Amino acid sequence: MSLTGNWSYPTAVKFGAGRIAELPGACAQAGIKRPLLVTDKGLADLPITAQALDILDTAGLGRALFSEVDANPDEKNLEAGVTAYRDGGHDGVIAFGGGSGLDLGKMVAFMAGQTRPIWDFEDIGDWWTRADADAIAPIVAVPTTAGTGSEVGRASVITNSETHVKKIIFHPKVLPSVVICDPELTVGMPKFITAGTGLDAFAHCVEAFSSPFYHPMSQGIALEGMRLVVDYLPRAYADGTDLEARAQMMSAAAMGATAFQKGLGAIHALSHPIGAVFNTHHGTTNAVCMPAVLELNAPMIADRFDRAASYIGVEGGFDGFRAFVQDFNDSFAIPRKLSELGATADRIDDLVPMALADPSCGGNPVELTSQNVRALFEAVI
């Protein structure tokens, strides 16, 4: 079976090996003639980025690059990106990379024509309506990891450099116009990034599946996304050149982000402040937090995982799934405690209110309180 297709779910997706060659056509489809390619510092000098710039250059689209993007991008990165966009006279953004490059690229396109500060558009109520929708530049997204699924999302996570709080910025027009999912771009990912990003996709699917809200479409996508990660992440981790495994993981990443329209939960409510304060890798942080959160949520989610476990290839219902998750983490050398990623217990007093203020809280099947959130932080740090 050829793992290639054109989808519109929830946006136009060109999926398949080698399809980075279609980047000029994607720009034309989005109405972009002078693109700015936005990526992170780690990717700036890699061959896949040079390849993308060469493809653009050959097509007469220039080779403009902005890469001053940190692992947990903040408003200072954004300000520099918007300046580069305006100074270069660009008319659209190619968001290229993992979650940080994708999120910041989307925000450069969003903010380039706005006059209000970024924090005015946080994902609270109808704050997104404050934006001038006509001033949002078109976006082409090209993921180079298989994790966040930000390429099919309508929001970005930006860290406030002063408060060290991660904020979710939302607008419907932040959804990229065209996405190129080329699994060949993920072949060079190192093992720890393959594992961390893959487990991020897994966390998105697990939390969406656990969320109490009614959204059967998301529920089905989350279930199949979990199965793909269980089946294919071990293969991608063992052999980075396994293109079938890379393709299936790229699908699982987009599925996780599509599914979490149904909601996220305590895993993300914990990992957002941990990442903002200690600058940890987001997906790896999610993975460390998952076993403790499954235990907290057990009374509310055991029944649905009893039904789901056999489908995703895990025996023993919910209890089997919970045991599997820890073994799965261990198989990718994920630490059992966040202290191994640099987190320290002396900040728990700061982290608890940050977690309770995170928008992911509302999707947790068990109501989060200062008591149970504190207990979670003590368990995972």
Side-chain angles (χ1 to χ4, degrees), residues 205-207 209-210 226 294 301-310 312 317-318 321:
C205 293
V206 168
E207 289 214 289
F209 194 76
S210 302
M226 284 189 281
L294 288 173
I301 64 173
D303 286 353
R304 68 183 69 177
F305 276 93
D306 282 343
R307 293 195 303 273
S310 61
I312 59 179
F318 174 72
F321 178 77

Side-chain angles (χ1 to χ4, degrees), residues 51-370:
Q51 176 193 10
L53 291 170
D54 288 345
I55 289 167
L56 291 172
D57 205 7
T58 301
L61 295 169
R63 50 188 313 121
L65 173 70
F66 175 79
S67 62
E68 290 304 306
V69 180
D70 295 318
N72 289 296
D74 61 22
E75 82 284 2
K76 293 178 180 175
N77 296 156
L78 177 57
E79 203 174 308
V82 168
T83 299
Y85 180 92
R86 290 173 178 165
D87 289 354
H90 298 290
D91 63 352
V93 167
I94 298 168
F96 187 91
S100 52
L102 294 172
D103 275 11
L104 197 87
K106 285 156 58 178
M107 285 296 100
V108 168
F110 174 63
M111 287 298 292
Q114 305 302 324
T115 54
R116 300 176 69 140
I118 181 74
W119 313 124
D120 281 7
F121 307 113
E122 191 181 346
D123 189 13
I124 297 174
D126 64 355
W127 283 19
W128 64 272
T129 60
R130 298 168 168 178
D132 178 354
D134 295 332
I136 300 170
I139 304 161
V140 171
V142 184
T144 63
T145 65
T148 67
S150 183
E151 66 274 8
V152 294
R154 299 167 297 174
S156 291
V157 179
I158 302 293
T159 302
N160 184 315
S161 65
E162 293 178 16
T163 62
H164 300 291
V165 174
K166 285 191 172 188
K167 297 288 190 181
I168 297 173
I169 312 298
F170 166 86
H171 194 283
K173 286 187 73 173
V174 166
L175 181 70
S177 304
V178 188
V179 179
I180 292 180
C181 284
D182 183 345
E184 288 182 352
L185 301 181
T186 67
V187 163
M189 269 198 295
K191 275 189 179 317
F192 78 97
I193 297 290
T194 297
T197 54
L199 292 169
D200 189 24
F202 191 57
H204 292 157
C205 293
V206 168
E207 289 214 289
F209 194 76
S210 302
S211 162
F213 303 119
Y214 180 70
H215 198 325
M217 291 181 285
S218 283
Q219 201 71 346
I221 294 167
L223 180 62
E224 176 67 358
M226 284 189 281
R227 184 189 72 80
L228 290 179
V229 177
V230 169
D231 285 355
Y232 290 100
L233 182 55
R235 280 177 49 179
Y237 184 77
D239 175 9
T241 65
D242 182 338
L243 212 53
E244 182 190 7
R246 290 295 197 190
Q248 297 285 20
M249 283 305 303
M250 194 161 245
S251 291
M255 290 164 76
T258 304
F260 73 55
Q261 292 182 33
K262 182 170 174 274
L264 291 168
I267 294 172
H268 280 77
L270 297 180
S271 74
H272 283 151
I274 289 279
V277 171
F278 297 107
N279 209 30
T280 57
H281 182 267
H282 174 67
T284 308
T285 308
N286 281 343
V288 178
C289 294
M290 190 181 292
V293 172
L294 288 173
E295 193 168 327
L296 171 73
N297 289 338
M300 303 300 291
I301 64 173
D303 286 353
R304 68 183 69 177
F305 276 93
D306 282 343
R307 293 195 303 273
S310 61
Y311 177 78
I312 59 179
V314 175
E315 294 178 2
F318 174 72
D319 289 335
F321 178 77
R322 192 163 53 175
F324 165 81
V325 164
Q326 188 59 67
D327 291 342
F328 202 50
N329 280 354
D330 292 346
S331 73
F332 303 116
I334 300 294
R336 290 199 169 201
K337 299 293 178 188
L338 291 172
S339 53
E340 294 182 51
L341 299 178
T344 53
D346 62 336
R347 295 296 300 274
I348 288 179
D349 284 347
D350 301 319
L351 294 168
V352 170
M354 291 166 74
L356 289 168
D358 191 274
S360 303
C361 272
N364 201 66
V366 170
E367 186 179 355
L368 296 179
T369 65
S370 54

